[in-house]
Amino acid sequence: MQTVLPYQQTKFLKSVGKLSQLPADDGVEVAFIGRSNAGKSSALNTITGLKGLARTSKCPGRTQCINLFSVDKERRMVDLPGYGYAKVPLCIKKRWEETVDLYLQSRHCLRGLVLVMDVRHPLKNMDLQLIEWTASCQIPTHVLLTKADKLSGNQAKQTLLKVEKALEPYGEFVSVQLFSALDKNGLNEARDHLEEWFMAGELSH
Ligand code: GDP
């Protein structure tokens, strides 16, 4: 599939701490989620082709806000706060869970979720809980196994097969691929997936 969306024109829209500050619940949103340091910001930057779009950070867990980016007037990418960072105080973790749960449960324009996992540490508890939950709510979820360049081709393929097998019970709502922000392996596949979601359904204009 040819990329038809103007990813390179993606702009930072706003950063919100509360769901009430989100833009109107219309158009299409695709959200990105994952453990801190899994490579979510790098994936967003690579997919849009914009290096500095989502701040990549060596200090995981720093951002507890929901960051929104507009691809065009009706399509947004949503960077949900990273989870699973041990040094985050319990109260913040709890707030994260409440905010993200509520976003995922209540956001009508959410068309799909990109779940980012480090290919070397896939399927941690929180990842599995999320998949369990999104599959039960029939929110399409696409797993990016990031940092694929850190493994040999064969190791990466083995991990992909293992994860695919583990996610088989969730059926058509969950898919998985290898991805590398470093060598851009899997970029077209990831964009194709996003595009399916962004172009699906009726938009108002
Ligand atoms: P986030 O916390 O999930 O947003 O993770 P970041 O995107 O900030 O990435 C965390 C660290 O992993 C940074 O040092 C990135 O440079 C590195 N990283 C992210 N993606 C890749 C990748 O595909 N390959 C390699 N080798 N490093 C990556």
Side-chain angles (χ1 to χ4, degrees):
M1 190 194 287
Q2 283 289 315
T3 294
V4 293
L5 288 172
Y7 287 114
Q8 287 205 299
Q9 289 170 33
T10 303
K11 301 229 165 19
F12 173 72
L13 191 63
K14 69 194 294 200
S15 187
V16 307
K18 293 184 195 153
L19 295 185
S20 58
Q21 299 165 330
L22 285 171
D25 192 356
D26 51 29
V28 179
E29 282 178 1
V30 170
F32 285 67
I33 199 165
R35 285 170 62 80
S36 297
N37 222 27
K40 179 166 52 81
S41 310
S42 306
L44 267 161
N45 291 347
T46 303
I47 287 168
T48 54
L50 297 167
K51 257 191 177 163
L53 186 73
R55 265 188 314 173
T56 50
S57 156
K58 296 250 185 252
C59 169
R62 188 181 49 182
T63 321
Q64 292 297 323
C65 290
I66 295 179
N67 296 310
L68 293 112
F69 305 93
S70 57
V71 181
D72 61 20
K73 241 177 90 198
E74 295 187 301
R75 298 174 179 89
R76 295 177 295 277
M77 294 200 211
V78 179
D79 184 5
L80 295 169
Y83 56 82
Y85 184 54
K87 285 182 187 157
V88 171
L90 206 65
C91 58
I92 295 185
K93 266 189 199 159
K94 213 168 164 302
R95 220 188 87 205
W96 178 89
E97 283 178 14
E98 282 167 10
T99 308
V100 172
D101 271 11
L102 207 61
Y103 171 82
L104 293 173
Q105 275 181 53
S106 62
R107 197 72 174 157
H108 292 116
C109 64
L110 176 68
R111 213 52 65 82
L113 187 68
V114 176
L115 171 54
V116 179
M117 297 181 204
D118 187 322
V119 72
R120 298 164 301 171
H121 316 286
L123 301 175
K124 296 282 187 194
N125 269 348
M126 277 292 270
D127 300 325
L128 284 166
Q129 277 175 36
L130 249 177
I131 291 171
E132 188 86 39
W133 192 78
T134 55
S136 73
C137 312
Q138 306 196 332
I139 299 173
T141 302
H142 186 58
V143 175
L144 291 186
L145 295 172
T146 56
K147 311 191 192 181
D149 57 274
K150 296 258 192 191
L151 298 181
S152 72
N154 196 37
Q155 283 173 320
K157 214 168 160 181
Q158 290 303 318
T159 306
L160 176 65
L161 288 174
K162 197 182 85 186
V163 174
E164 274 175 346
K165 199 157 175 51
L167 299 182
E168 231 171 48
Y170 301 103
E172 57 176 319
F173 288 100
V174 181
S175 49
V176 53
Q177 69 158 102
L178 293 167
F179 186 85
S180 165
L182 195 76
D183 59 22
K184 302 199 172 23
N185 182 24
L187 174 59
N188 287 339
E189 195 179 342
R191 280 184 171 164
D192 284 355
H193 245 274
L194 255 65
E195 208 125 303
E196 253 177 56
W197 289 337
F198 274 133
M199 304 310 280
E202 295 287 308
L203 292 178
S204 50
H205 304 291

